[in-house]
Amino acid sequence: MSKSNNVYKDAYNRGLRLLDETKSLPSEPELGALLGVSRTTIRTILARMEETGLITWNKRSKTVLRVPRPDDFFPEEETDTLSQIIERSFMRRLLAGGAEPGMQINELELAREIGVGTTSVREFLIRFSRFGLIEKRRNSHWVLKGFTRAFALELTEIREMFELRSAAAFAALPEDSPVWADLDLLEDEHRLLAREIATRFNEFSELDERFHRLIHRASHNRFIVDFYDVIAMIFHYHYQWNKAQERERNEVAVAEHLAYIAALKSRDPGKVDAACRKHLKSARHTLLTSIPEGQQPQRA
Amino acid sequence: MSKSNNVYKDAYNRGLRLLDETKSLPSEPELGALLGVSRTTIRTILARMEETGLITWNKRSKTVLRVPRPDDFFPEEETDTLSQIIERSFMRRLLAGGAEPGMQINELELAREIGVGTTSVREFLIRFSRFGLIEKRRNSHWVLKGFTRAFALELTEIREMFELRSAAAFAALPEDSPVWADLDLLEDEHRLLAREIATRFNEFSELDERFHRLIHRASHNRFIVDFYDVIAMIFHYHYQWNKAQERERNEVAVAEHLAYIAALKSRDPGKVDAACRKHLKSARHTLLTSIPEGQQPQRA
DNA sequence: ATAATGTCTTTTATCGTGAAAAAACAGTTT
DNA sequence: AAACTGTTTTTTCACGATAAAAGACATTAT
């Protein structure tokens, strides 16, 4: 099987959406830049679009013949990266319960179960290890440290340290920095979401991530920025499995964000610190209450 | 070639040193625990020891016949892990100059140059990426961010944040914690080294690492503990290439450590903070002055 | 002359394979 | 029966091979 063509399929799907808007497509390099793939992939896409009668293609002219139908798209699941597939599979096992701290992780078994090669699983585990949930025994298996209360506490400790520092750096940014415009846009989105929170509460987590990443970026420190990946990963998966009081939680968080944004705009260090602390405190509380108690890490 | 037997060779060499001390070797499981390898490897080792006339081996009896000679040992370079080999090779290129920020890293070329498979190089790069010196372009090459002044500043910023916190946590540890005994031992080693600094100054970096790791461990936070890997890596390689005023630097650092240790033992938060800050300041200064100026990161 | 397209080359992503090493199981010895 | 040794099975580590995707070079169109 060697390598799936998910890059092509995903780009193709995204390319279909362009057909709604124009009567003719731009040049190959331009399309490549637009979809974030190489010309090689673009040409494969164009070839198929021609084949399925979506466009005519002759050198520079790429005329749209018809609007894409739902069945023109490749199925969603065929557009996923292998590492996304492995990650999802792995996280499901991890969060589905029965994953006790101290448990061994078997590369071969994982690979067989997911139906992929061991190399991909190995690479995934190496990449994943920086999240601090697993650990490698030299020349031997991986050990699951587990999504425990201790993990959550250690994670939030760093998060709070980093975010307080980033928020302070943010507030100290000069007036003419482009981040203030970004912040204004995010503020608008927050207000909109707040108004329609009853129906759109599940859109919060995406907004949450963008907001916090913007703040962390103000630190101008790659270690701080990168650390947000850990937080994002945890939030992403954990809240997929813990929907309790999601609406209420998010409603509170949106309000806290708005207060936080106001504090940042005031550029008053004291206010920023207070608003940031308040939000982080409730975020920690939310995370901690959602962790099943009693899971205690095993002795090594 | 598939897989080198470096685990066996390294364990064999370490096993040879046991022959100096005893007239007969312990049981297979015991040897395995001692050398940190499986029984399978132990049996391979014993088989060779018998073959080369070092011991007689019959079931439980493993009698030492003679003391090992220098040529009984496997050559040092055959005992290295593949990832150690790749790491060394990669760091040499990175520090040897000509490695401009923004430069592309080619897996295939690296693999060919080092004479290993691409898989091993890929895995190394993934593992190495957490140090923040390289970055992956999705579906494409890696980009070297480079060992720049910015890197050093970002690194030290986090280091200072983490170490101040760890030092405070350390000082707050109860009297009966075993760390105080560890600290006493380290203090003795520091005093010894201080006395013979003129000749043994190059032994400092190993002691330095042990000292700081002990402190970081007091944080009880895996992210803080793990971050010391980044620092250790940088120090390890960077100082191999920058020996300027090594003796003076280390002499100063030993003195600062002793003051730092005294502060910890006083358990006075103010003193700890001051001593820690002083040492971190000079550590940062040392690192910064050793970075060649003018290396500016490229635009993305 | 610039920027596109057409073609060819190189690199990355992934798998299957096989040896090294670990782990599990079975049989012995004290 | 506890702990060892002998044997077999499983897993990890590393490679070469191959399709997907990127990138480089040559050619053509505006």
Side-chain angles (χ1 to χ4, degrees):
Chain A
M1 209 205 291
S2 170
K3 193 181 180 181
S4 89
N5 53 355
N6 68 80
V7 172
Y8 153 67
K9 286 179 176 171
D10 179 55
Y12 182 85
N13 281 359
R14 283 181 293 128
L16 285 183
R17 271 168 221 123
L18 297 174
L19 299 184
D20 281 331
E21 294 152 23
T22 39
K23 286 288 116 193
S24 84
L25 294 175
S27 76
E28 294 173 14
E30 211 169 318
L31 280 168
L34 215 59
L35 299 176
V37 294
S38 75
R39 253 188 75 217
T40 309
T41 305
I42 291 295
R43 300 189 111 237
T44 322
I45 291 171
L46 290 173
R48 181 175 167 100
M49 284 184 171
E50 188 177 28
E51 217 176 270
T52 52
L54 281 156
I55 60 169
T56 53
W57 178 29
N58 187 278
K59 311 209 168 169
R60 294 173 192 227
S61 95
K62 308 170 194 81
T63 322
V64 178
L65 293 180
R66 65 175 176 84
V67 161
R69 281 179 273 109
D71 65 306
D72 284 319
F73 289 81
F74 284 106
E76 278 277 350
E77 61 274 20
E78 289 178 24
T79 63
D80 290 336
T81 312
L82 232 211
S83 74
Q84 290 175 321
I85 294 170
I86 297 174
E87 181 179 303
R88 249 203 312 276
S89 232
F90 181 79
M91 290 307 286
R92 182 162 39 233
R93 282 168 141 240
L94 203 146
L95 294 166
E100 297 298 315
M103 186 179 264
Q104 293 188 9
I105 297 166
N106 188 318
E107 288 176 8
L108 200 60
E109 187 189 317
L110 254 178
R112 271 195 297 250
E113 189 152 322
I114 307 175
V116 298
T118 52
T119 314
S120 313
V121 170
R122 280 173 69 77
E123 287 181 6
F124 165 75
L125 290 172
I126 295 170
R127 255 176 290 129
F128 191 81
S129 66
R130 81 195 188 86
F131 295 139
L133 286 169
I134 60 174
E135 206 176 54
K136 175 110 183 106
R137 291 283 136 87
R138 202 181 105 89
N139 256 319
S140 182
H141 53 263
W142 292 83
V143 175
L144 178 65
K145 293 215 219 159
F147 188 37
T148 60
R149 190 172 183 81
F151 176 82
L153 285 169
E154 291 166 37
L155 180 76
T156 48
E157 180 181 8
I158 306 298
R159 190 215 175 152
E160 286 163 22
M161 224 185 293
F162 283 178
E163 183 142 352
L164 282 167
R165 180 169 284 237
S166 300
F170 195 108
L173 250 27
E175 292 277 7
D176 60 349
S177 166
V179 299
W180 296 110
D182 295 335
L183 190 65
D184 284 338
L185 282 171
L186 278 170
E187 184 176 14
D188 291 344
E189 291 193 64
H190 273 89
R191 287 201 198 290
L192 259 164
L193 190 59
R195 214 166 301 142
E196 303 164 25
I197 193 72
T199 55
R200 290 176 52 207
F201 63 88
N202 54 327
E203 288 174 44
F204 173 69
S205 69
E206 187 261 343
L207 186 59
D208 185 61
E209 179 166 347
R210 279 196 287 137
F211 174 61
H212 287 292
R213 281 205 193 269
L214 178 68
I215 290 171
H216 279 75
R217 234 175 292 131
S219 71
H220 284 287
N221 188 305
R222 70 193 74 185
F223 299 105
I224 293 181
V225 171
D226 288 352
F227 186 76
Y228 200 81
D229 293 346
V230 188
I231 299 166
M233 193 279 290
I234 290 301
F235 278 34
H236 178 75
Y237 283 103
H238 192 65
Y239 290 134
Q240 284 201 342
W241 287 77
N242 198 303
K243 300 276 192 194
Q245 286 131 314
E246 192 184 5
R247 203 188 75 84
E248 293 84 337
R249 264 198 272 119
N250 291 352
E251 191 165 358
V252 170
V254 170
E256 284 171 0
H257 276 196
L258 282 167
Y260 192 172
I261 291 171
L264 287 169
K265 288 174 110 173
S266 81
R267 311 172 107 246
D268 174 336
K271 283 185 187 165
V272 169
D273 192 83
C276 180
R277 282 208 139 84
K278 186 166 181 201
H279 178 53
L280 289 171
K281 191 175 170 188
S282 84
R284 177 176 55 201
H285 181 257
T286 308
L287 184 64
L288 283 175
T289 51
S290 71
I291 290 177
E293 199 44 70
Q295 263 193 27
Q296 289 302 322
Q298 233 91 308
R299 288 261 137 238
Chain B
M1 207 205 291
S2 173
K3 192 180 182 182
S4 89
N5 53 356
N6 68 80
V7 172
Y8 153 66
K9 286 179 176 171
D10 180 54
Y12 182 85
N13 281 358
R14 283 181 292 128
L16 285 182
R17 271 169 221 124
L18 297 174
L19 300 183
D20 282 330
E21 294 151 24
T22 38
K23 288 285 115 199
S24 83
L25 293 174
S27 76
E28 294 172 14
E30 209 167 323
L31 279 168
L34 215 58
L35 299 176
V37 293
S38 74
R39 253 189 73 216
T40 309
T41 305
I42 292 294
R43 300 188 112 239
T44 322
I45 290 171
L46 290 172
R48 183 177 166 98
M49 285 183 171
E50 188 178 27
E51 217 175 271
T52 52
L54 281 156
I55 60 169
T56 53
W57 178 29
N58 188 278
K59 311 207 167 170
R60 296 175 189 224
S61 95
K62 308 171 193 77
T63 322
V64 178
L65 293 179
R66 63 173 177 86
V67 162
R69 281 179 275 108
D71 65 306
D72 284 320
F73 289 81
F74 284 106
E76 277 275 350
E77 62 274 19
E78 290 177 24
T79 63
D80 290 335
T81 314
L82 234 210
S83 73
Q84 290 175 321
I85 294 169
I86 297 174
E87 181 179 304
R88 249 202 312 276
S89 233
F90 182 80
M91 290 308 285
R92 182 161 40 230
R93 282 168 140 239
L94 203 143
L95 295 166
E100 296 298 317
M103 187 177 264
Q104 286 182 212
I105 297 166
N106 188 318
E107 288 176 6
L108 200 58
E109 186 189 317
L110 252 179
R112 271 196 297 248
E113 189 154 319
I114 306 175
V116 298
T118 51
T119 313
S120 314
V121 170
R122 279 174 70 77
E123 286 181 6
F124 164 76
L125 291 172
I126 295 170
R127 252 175 292 134
F128 190 80
S129 66
R130 82 194 187 87
F131 294 139
L133 286 169
I134 60 175
E135 206 176 55
K136 176 110 182 103
R137 291 285 136 86
R138 201 179 108 88
N139 259 319
S140 181
H141 53 262
W142 292 83
V143 175
L144 178 65
K145 295 216 218 156
F147 190 37
T148 61
R149 192 173 181 79
F151 176 83
L153 285 168
E154 291 167 38
L155 179 77
T156 47
E157 180 181 9
I158 307 299
R159 191 220 173 147
E160 285 163 22
M161 224 186 291
F162 283 177
E163 183 141 353
L164 282 167
R165 181 170 284 238
S166 300
F170 195 109
L173 250 27
E175 291 278 8
D176 60 349
S177 166
V179 298
W180 296 110
D182 296 335
L183 190 65
D184 284 338
L185 282 172
L186 278 170
E187 185 177 13
D188 292 343
E189 291 192 64
H190 273 88
R191 288 201 197 290
L192 259 164
L193 190 58
R195 214 166 302 142
E196 303 164 26
I197 193 73
T199 55
R200 290 177 51 207
F201 63 90
N202 56 327
E203 288 174 45
F204 173 71
S205 70
E206 187 262 342
L207 186 59
D208 184 62
E209 178 165 347
R210 278 197 288 137
F211 174 61
H212 288 291
R213 282 203 192 269
L214 179 68
I215 290 171
H216 279 75
R217 234 176 292 132
S219 71
H220 284 289
N221 187 306
R222 71 192 74 186
F223 299 106
I224 293 181
V225 172
D226 289 350
F227 186 76
Y228 200 81
D229 293 345
V230 188
I231 299 165
M233 194 279 289
I234 290 299
F235 279 32
H236 179 73
Y237 283 103
H238 192 65
Y239 291 133
Q240 284 199 343
W241 286 77
N242 198 302
K243 301 275 192 193
Q245 285 131 313
E246 192 182 6
R247 204 189 73 87
E248 293 85 337
R249 266 197 272 119
N250 290 353
E251 190 164 0
V252 171
V254 170
E256 283 170 0
H257 276 195
L258 282 167
Y260 191 172
I261 292 170
L264 287 168
K265 288 174 111 172
S266 80
R267 312 175 105 243
D268 174 338
K271 283 185 188 166
V272 169
D273 191 85
C276 180
R277 282 207 139 83
K278 186 166 181 199
H279 178 52
L280 289 172
K281 192 176 169 187
S282 83
R284 177 176 55 202
H285 181 258
T286 308
L287 184 63
L288 282 175
T289 52
S290 70
I291 290 178
E293 199 44 71
Q295 262 192 29
Q296 289 301 323
Q298 234 91 307
R299 288 260 137 240

